[in-house]
Amino acid sequence: IAGCIMAATSVPQLVAYAQGVGYASYRGLATAGPPLFAWGLATGSPFMSCGVTSITALMAKADLDGESYVAEFGEQAYVNLVAAYSLWVGLCSAVLGIVGFGKLAGMVPSKVRK
């Protein structure tokens, strides 16, 4: 049952985000398989969702100008570019977490957080 629920919710999302960033639809599906399989082997947790997120897709689309890049260099070069971009975003997020950047959220006035 869990696999059916995961497929029903993830497949449309992965296809849509892949198309949103400028990838072919099948590339969105390919991003889910290996991480989910590795997660299943490495842990016993039933809670996992992975793949492209909307903010990553929107940032990549806006920052990297996908259509122009694909037209000039090809889709595989664009896939490599987005992969590198995503790794840098993840690395920067990890560094910001390690240095305690999230503590700034506690400084936001309570009226703004509501």
Side-chain angles (χ1 to χ4, degrees):
I1 294 174
C4 292
I5 292 170
M6 185 70 181
T9 59
S10 295
V11 169
Q13 175 186 11
L14 294 168
V15 169
Y17 290 151
Q19 289 178 342
V21 78
Y23 283 177
S25 300
Y26 74 90
R27 291 195 187 271
L29 296 174
T31 63
L36 287 174
F37 186 72
W39 181 265
L41 292 176
T43 71
S45 176
F47 306 107
M48 174 63 180
S49 178
C50 63
V52 178
T53 61
S54 59
I55 193 66
T56 306
L58 292 173
M59 286 172 48
K61 182 74 165 181
D63 291 346
L64 303 177
D65 193 22
E67 290 89 9
S68 298
Y69 197 89
V70 169
E72 187 172 344
F73 300 105
E75 185 178 1
Q76 187 57 47
Y78 183 59
V79 168
N80 295 339
L81 178 66
V82 173
Y85 179 84
S86 298
L87 287 173
W88 275 110
V89 168
L91 179 65
C92 292
S93 297
V95 169
L96 289 172
I98 289 169
V99 299
F101 198 73
K103 293 177 185 175
L104 288 177
M107 296 178 185
V108 175
S110 62
K111 290 182 179 182
V112 174
R113 285 185 276 167
K114 290 183 180 181

